[in-house]
């Protein structure tokens, strides 16, 4: 595919669909609807500073309208847009405690959409990049109940049929993969045209990077192995290209995207001191799994420090996990330290 001719995301999705003889078009429709939702969110993120939409939920804006926090707004846009498309049997969102059912007046399909509507909440009101993360699964064939059960949704990440993210940054970018060796592709939103155009075809993450990304302010709360790992990336050793440089935005999507393009490792380790984060901060199903699929398809790796993120059998929708993700060799180094095999 030639990016010079301005391949649109819709065209790209349809071409991928044609390569899969079993495809019915349902999946393409689903992705296209999600893209429309992301365009709406992007527009709102871009004008957020102008219209004072960032107030607390319930605040009244200058038009005397009740304003929603941007993450609540993003959640509502995705839920409303996706619930009527007919391809989903349910959704799960970081913003919503329980599964989101498809209202009975709408048709249902076999796909399950899990998403974080607006990740990087601490960066929303300071004009720093934020993003939407999504993973798509099929409802298991063994599932016979008309009602979708939580067990249908609690599938390991390696069952995702597609995953990706949108970054609302200096440009709005979508990165997605449908797995099966089809690659990871990035599209940039051209605001004046309103289309995502292919800008990063077949992204491959360098096997080894030079960047480590972690909230080092948590150093005192880590165990010895985690500290030794971060000390390793900071230590001087010409043969292994150390010290690495440190980059940390505090928006997972932004940190991940940079490292995907440039090479490196993002880490959010378990936190010994915070009772809310004994197994890290990030959510397995709506944050770690989608990015783990993207990085795998781009030639990288994601681990919880002991094994592949994508092999974890989830036990709860909002389960958290330690996350080490990025260049394959760097994540393998992290795994060696955390699981006790490192030097
Ligand atoms: P959120 O879902 O509440 O936005 O939290 C997730 C975010 C990630 O985007 C980011 O990697 C991480 O939290 C940053 O956490 P911290 O501020 O503890 O470094
Ligand atoms: Mg999040």
């Amino acid at each position: 595919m030639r990016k010079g001719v301005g391949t649109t995301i819709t065209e790209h999705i349809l071409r991928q669909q044609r390569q899969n003889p079993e495809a019915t078009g349902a999946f393409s429709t689903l992705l296209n609807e999600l893209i429309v939702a992301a365009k709406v969110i992007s527009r709102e993120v871009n004008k957020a500073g102008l219209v004072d939409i960032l107030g607390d939920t319930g605040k009244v804006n200058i038009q005397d309208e009740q304003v929603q926090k941007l993450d609540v707004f993003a959640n509502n846009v995705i839920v409303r847009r996706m619930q009527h498309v007919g391809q989903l049997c349910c959704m799960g969102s970081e913003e919503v405690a329980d599964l989101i059912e498809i209202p009975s007046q709408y048709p249902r399909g076999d796909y399950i959409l899990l998403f974080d509507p607006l990740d990087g909440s601490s960066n929303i009101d300071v004009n720093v990049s934020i993003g939407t993360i999504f993973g798509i699964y099929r409802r298991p064939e063994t599932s016979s109940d008309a009602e979708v059960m939580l067990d249908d949704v609690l599938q390991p990440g390696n069952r995702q049929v597609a995953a990706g993210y949108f970054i609302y940054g200096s440009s709005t970018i979508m990165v997605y993969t449908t797995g099966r060796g089809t690659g990871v592709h990035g599209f940039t939103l051209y605001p004046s045209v309103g289309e995502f155009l292919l800008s990063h075809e077949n992204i491959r993450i360098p096997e080894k990077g030079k960047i480590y990304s972690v909230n080092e302010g948590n150093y005192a709360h880590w165990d010895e192995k985690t500290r030794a790992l971060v000390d390793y990336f900071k230590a001087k050793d010409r043969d292994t290209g150390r010290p690495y440089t440190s980059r940390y935005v505090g928006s997972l999507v932004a940190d991940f995207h940079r490292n995907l393009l440039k090479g490196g490792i993002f880490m959010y380790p378990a936190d010994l001191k915070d009772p809310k984060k004994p197994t890290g901060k990030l959510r397995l199903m709506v944050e770690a799994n989608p990015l783990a699929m993207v990085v795998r398809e781009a030639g990288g790796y994601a681990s919880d420090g002991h094994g592949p993120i994508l092999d974890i059998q989830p036990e709860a929708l909002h389960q958290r996990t330690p996350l080490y993700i990025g260049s394959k060799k760097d994540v393998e180094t992290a795994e060696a330290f955390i699981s006790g095999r490192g030097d």
Side-chain angles (χ1 to χ4, degrees):
M1 219 176 290
R2 287 176 301 139
K3 66 179 174 186
V5 298
T7 304
T8 67
I9 178 74
T10 311
E11 202 182 338
H12 195 270
I13 291 168
L14 289 173
R15 280 189 205 170
Q16 294 224 332
Q17 180 192 315
R18 283 197 287 272
Q19 284 168 20
N20 180 359
E22 290 165 33
T24 60
F27 180 67
S28 303
T29 308
L30 175 58
L31 268 184
N32 278 318
E33 288 298 321
L34 190 60
I35 288 162
V36 175
K39 286 182 190 172
V40 175
I41 297 168
S42 175
R43 184 204 61 195
E44 223 50 33
V45 168
N46 281 315
K47 70 177 196 192
L50 297 171
V51 296
D52 192 27
I53 198 170
L54 298 174
D56 293 337
T57 309
K59 224 176 169 182
V60 173
N61 69 10
I62 49 171
Q63 284 94 33
D64 267 356
E65 297 160 340
Q66 286 290 113
V67 295
Q68 295 171 318
K69 277 172 96 170
L70 216 42
D71 43 7
V72 177
F73 172 85
N75 182 70
N76 293 346
V77 168
I78 295 176
V79 171
R80 287 196 198 125
R81 181 103 220 150
M82 303 308 293
Q83 67 185 1
H84 68 83
V85 293
Q87 278 81 35
L88 293 174
C89 59
C90 76
M91 290 178 262
S93 164
E94 190 190 295
E95 289 290 324
V96 182
D98 299 319
L99 285 182
I100 304 165
E101 292 176 12
I102 304 300
S104 55
Q105 67 264 37
Y106 299 125
R108 281 196 191 184
D110 288 328
Y111 289 105
I112 298 165
L113 172 66
L114 301 185
F115 60 96
D116 183 351
L118 211 52
D119 183 63
S121 46
S122 65
N123 282 326
I124 290 178
D125 54 358
V126 290
N127 213 12
V128 173
S129 300
I130 46 185
T132 298
I133 309 174
F134 65 92
I136 300 172
Y137 297 75
R138 266 185 192 283
R139 190 177 182 181
E141 279 168 18
T142 49
S143 161
S144 56
D145 293 314
E147 186 145 338
V148 185
M149 309 302 285
L150 185 58
D151 277 353
D152 297 338
V153 176
L154 297 179
Q155 302 180 42
N158 57 32
R159 303 281 296 274
Q160 288 171 114
V161 293
Y165 56 88
F166 298 86
I167 301 184
Y168 313 107
S170 50
S171 294
T172 294
I173 289 184
M174 176 194 184
V175 172
Y176 89 112
T177 181
T178 51
R180 300 172 292 109
T182 55
V184 174
H185 308 283
F187 299 79
T188 303
L189 181 63
Y190 281 60
S192 54
V193 186
E195 274 288 1
F196 280 97
L197 299 180
L198 183 62
S199 52
H200 300 74
E201 189 172 18
N202 200 20
I203 299 169
R204 304 294 299 169
I205 186 169
E207 196 178 26
K208 186 174 172 313
K210 289 192 170 70
I211 297 171
Y212 76 99
S213 308
V214 68
N215 184 345
E216 220 165 328
N218 292 330
Y219 193 90
H221 304 326
W222 296 334
D223 65 14
E224 288 305 321
K225 290 171 180 169
T226 309
R227 289 184 199 176
L229 169 65
V230 173
D231 290 344
Y232 171 87
F233 285 123
K234 289 160 61 169
K236 204 170 164 187
D237 179 52
R238 188 180 291 185
D239 291 347
T240 50
R242 290 178 289 144
Y244 280 27
T245 193
S246 166
R247 291 283 183 278
Y248 191 73
V249 172
S251 281
L252 175 60
V253 170
D255 281 311
F256 175 82
H257 184 68
R258 180 201 50 243
N259 292 1
L260 180 70
L261 297 183
K262 299 197 171 212
I265 180 168
F266 172 93
M267 307 175 255
Y268 209 110
D271 187 327
L272 292 179
K273 293 279 165 55
D274 189 337
K276 286 187 289 199
K277 297 189 261 176
T279 55
K281 176 182 183 187
L282 301 175
R283 284 76 163 180
L284 174 64
M285 300 210 71
V286 296
E287 294 174 325
N289 273 337
L291 301 186
M293 180 177 183
V294 170
V295 86
R296 181 194 66 196
E297 293 297 314
Y301 180 43
S303 169
D304 68 351
H306 300 278
I309 285 285
L310 291 170
D311 289 350
I312 298 173
Q313 173 60 53
E315 287 165 10
L317 187 58
H318 295 283
Q319 179 172 334
R320 294 174 195 261
T321 178
L323 179 63
Y324 301 87
I325 187 166
S327 293
K328 192 163 187 285
K329 281 208 157 43
D330 294 327
V331 177
E332 283 170 355
T333 298
E335 208 173 59
F337 271 88
I338 300 300
S339 61
R341 301 189 300 270
D343 48 327

